[in-house]
Amino acid sequence: MCRTGQQPDPHGRSEERTANAAFAALLEDSAEELYESAPCGYLSTLMDGTIAKINTTLLDWLGLEREAVVGRKRFTDLLTVGGKLYHETHFAPLLRMQGKIGGIALEIKQADGARMPVLISSVVKHGGTGEPLLIRTTVFDARDRRTYEQELLRARKAAEEARRQAEADRARLQDALAVLQQSLLPASLPHMPGVEAAVHYRTASPDRLGGDFYDLFPIDNQRFAFFLGDVCGKGPKAAAVTSLTRYTLRAAALHDPDPVSALSTLNKVLHERYTGGDARYCTVIFGILDPGPVTGQTTVRLAAGGHPPALILRADGPADFLPTPGGFLVGALPEARFVTATAVLAPGDTLLLYTDGLTEARTGEDRTTLYGDEALRDFTAGHTGEPPHALIQALIGLLDDFGDGLDDDTALLALGIPTPTPDPTPTPRPETKKRGPATPIDFSPS
């Protein structure tokens, strides 16, 4: 209860008085005290830079007494040598033109010789008639900012060094992978009388080993074997399968050059080698070239295991597929069925083998449409009659056009029969036997 004659205090009146008293206490600071003890440095200079006024905060930073500064030093005397040069060449000219300048990073000299990073802003005060009277300058402590910038710079340098190291490591890895990749491919193609050959191999990424392979080699004095294929997967494991596949097919061809026999041998080796949970298999097309020196034609017998069909480009006709039906993936099953197909290549004809990296390249603006076998046939139809190297060059241009749509390895092998070139030397005419001088006949009587 309230005492007699006392009125109840309205709600919150005491808290309001307390807040007002605290606010009033803040207002008791004089302008001079606020100037002298501000959290930043203040100074005023004449137009020639002579210091006319400076606050205690800046004097403490400098480690100097007021009497040693006011009227005795210029603003540039507080700066380092580099700061003086920047002030004369940039700061002062801009201040004269603009009348103000802000956020300039400089360093001031302290009495003990240390350097203190600061941010400086200046403005010119003009008189009533517009004449410049003095320069007011604010100096902000940038030591924390400088520390932050240095840490940021160190972090940036460390990141750049890590990036350079990563690029160097990647380059070394790519070099090693390129050398290993080349070891899985023939160093060069052999010379074949009556047959021309051209190849191209492209990995989808230089950072991984490709799984495609090819080879061309003699099996006797007349015939040559060739194969081209694609191992499932990428990387070192796929490279191991590629190496095993190449040497197995070479050995099988020298033992029995029949294409079905060679693929059956490879199927048995792969299936026995990779059993259990780590199944490995490949697609292969294997063939034998049997040139006919007399006819100028070459007989091709080939078989395929799960591989895209070969293309035959006729010199005087269209391009079409040479089907090899019934071919199973090589190594996937203990017993696999392969069928032989036969074709005869005449002068000007070319046989093209390729892996599915070409036909499964993504095309279109959205990169969702596969290039496809039919598109490849239509493309090669425009290059019939060309030699193998010209066909391969055209296909290289096609691969380049795919850009980032080519996300699988691609191997190309073209085998063609050259067209005989006419002999430019004119055929000499049959030599006519020259007659000697006529023998005179004596008609005198005997």
Side-chain angles (χ1 to χ4, degrees), residues 244-264:
L244 177 61
T245 298
R246 280 194 62 216
Y247 291 113
T248 299
L249 285 177
R250 272 181 165 262
L254 295 176
H255 176 72
D256 185 353
D258 178 67
V260 171
S261 175
L263 292 186
S264 298

Side-chain angles (χ1 to χ4, degrees), residues 27 31 84 108 110 119 121 124 158 189 200 252 317 321 327 338 348 357 381 409 411 414-415 436:
L27 295 179
K84 290 180 181 180
I108 58 176
Q110 295 176 306
L119 291 176
S121 297
V124 177
L189 298 180
H200 178 68
F321 295 105
F338 306 106
D409 308 323
L415 304 169

Side-chain angles (χ1 to χ4, degrees), residues 208-284:
R208 67 182 186 185
L209 286 171
D212 293 2
F213 57 90
Y214 66 86
D215 208 345
L216 176 65
F217 54 95
I219 55 176
D220 54 33
N221 292 332
Q222 181 177 347
R223 295 176 300 172
F224 286 80
F226 63 89
F227 57 81
L228 180 142
D230 184 3
V231 170
C232 71
K234 307 294 178 187
K237 290 186 177 181
V241 179
T242 298
S243 179
L244 177 61
T245 298
R246 280 194 62 216
Y247 291 113
T248 299
L249 285 177
R250 272 181 165 262
L254 295 176
H255 176 72
D256 185 353
D258 178 67
V260 171
S261 175
L263 292 186
S264 298
T265 300
L266 177 61
N267 184 82
K268 182 178 181 181
V269 170
L270 290 182
H271 191 267
E272 290 180 353
R273 173 63 178 81
Y274 297 98
T275 57
D278 188 24
R280 295 283 169 173
Y281 51 86
C282 62
T283 68
V284 187

